[in-house]
Amino acid sequence: MLFTDLGLAEPLLRAVRDQGYDTPTPIQRQAIPAVLKGGDLLAGAQTGTGKTAGFTLPMLHRLAATRPPRDPAPGSGPQRGPRGRVPIRALILTPTRELAAQVEESVRTYGKYLPITSMVMFGGVGMQPQIDALRRGVDVLVATPGRLLDHHQQGTLDLSRVEIFVLDEADRMLDMGFIHDIRKVLALLPPKRQNLLFSATFSDEIKALADRL
Ligand code: AMP
């Protein structure tokens, strides 16, 4: 099987070709068609399996398919949410800033031929540049939970229109004590959304979390 057999849009296939990949990995072969169909996904995958492209590619496909390119005519900016903010369309939560940065880099790599914007958000750095970036409009937000909740508390973030929610390395997130933060984030998301959960292991705690999703 080749990437071209998976039903991904041409701009995504071009970005994949630029990376020099033609054959999807096993997780990509399974995850990409399932996510394209719009269903929820619970996937067992470790780092190094190609899982990031496994969710990034179909996520970008769906986001691009359900909205015309940004700014179609002069003067008509992106649709604005409550209080003038541009809503986030996809949220990817990761346990660490390193992983957040890596995943957002993949979103940029695979989305480079699409009019989709992304941003990485984590703590330990200034809030203001993140607030400015959010104001400019972000489609795909890759974040660690703590800073995400800080922004929500400050009213600088609108998660009410998230269409796709990804929990990456969910087992590591639970190991690091993020369960309460995850629950708080879930409460901010709209009930109707697509959920993707990736985990290397499946404890009862992960299964319980998956049930909540
Ligand atoms: P990940 O498991 O998402 O961290 O990806 C591990 C590495 O595999 C990354 O460096 C990817 O760029 C690379 N990769 C992803 N998909 C493929 C593929 N289909 N063929 C070869 N390498 C890939």
Side-chain angles (χ1 to χ4, degrees), residues 20-37:
Y21 309 149
D22 54 9
T23 314
T25 65
I27 180 77
Q28 291 165 357
R29 278 202 294 276
Q30 291 183 285
I32 291 172
V35 178
L36 284 178
K37 274 192 212 140

Side-chain angles (χ1 to χ4, degrees), residues 3 19 21 23-25 28 46-53 102 110:
F3 269 107
Q19 291 303 107
Y21 309 149
T23 314
T25 65
Q28 291 165 357
Q46 319 226 349
T47 303
T49 54
K51 71 178 162 73
T52 314
Q102 227 173 295
Y110 298 118

Side-chain angles (χ1 to χ4, degrees), residues 24-162:
T25 65
I27 180 77
Q28 291 165 357
R29 278 202 294 276
Q30 291 183 285
I32 291 172
V35 178
L36 284 178
K37 274 192 212 140
D40 285 356
L41 184 75
L42 176 62
Q46 319 226 349
T47 303
T49 54
K51 71 178 162 73
T52 314
F55 63 78
T56 302
L57 288 167
M59 177 191 78
L60 289 169
H61 178 106
R62 284 181 63 79
L63 293 177
T66 54
R67 193 180 56 177
R70 196 177 276 267
D71 294 338
S76 62
Q79 215 190 346
R80 301 213 164 240
R83 281 179 278 171
R85 292 188 304 271
V86 180
I88 308 295
R89 298 185 67 202
L91 172 65
I92 304 169
L93 275 192
T94 71
T96 65
R97 20 169 133 179
E98 291 74 20
L99 185 61
Q102 227 173 295
V103 169
E104 202 254 349
E105 190 58 43
S106 290
V107 174
R108 282 174 195 267
T109 297
Y110 298 118
K112 65 182 175 178
Y113 299 118
L114 291 172
I116 285 177
T117 56
S118 62
M119 171 184 171
V120 63
M121 173 190 282
F122 46 68
V125 297
M127 290 281 275
Q128 196 55 47
Q130 297 178 344
I131 293 170
D132 295 342
L134 287 168
R135 280 220 190 93
R136 286 193 294 272
V138 172
D139 295 302
V140 179
L141 177 62
V142 189
T144 53
R147 179 54 64 95
L148 185 83
L149 291 168
D150 288 346
H151 274 281
H152 183 262
Q153 255 157 22
Q154 297 213 8
T156 46
L157 182 65
D158 179 9
L159 296 176
S160 68
R161 295 211 235 153
V162 165

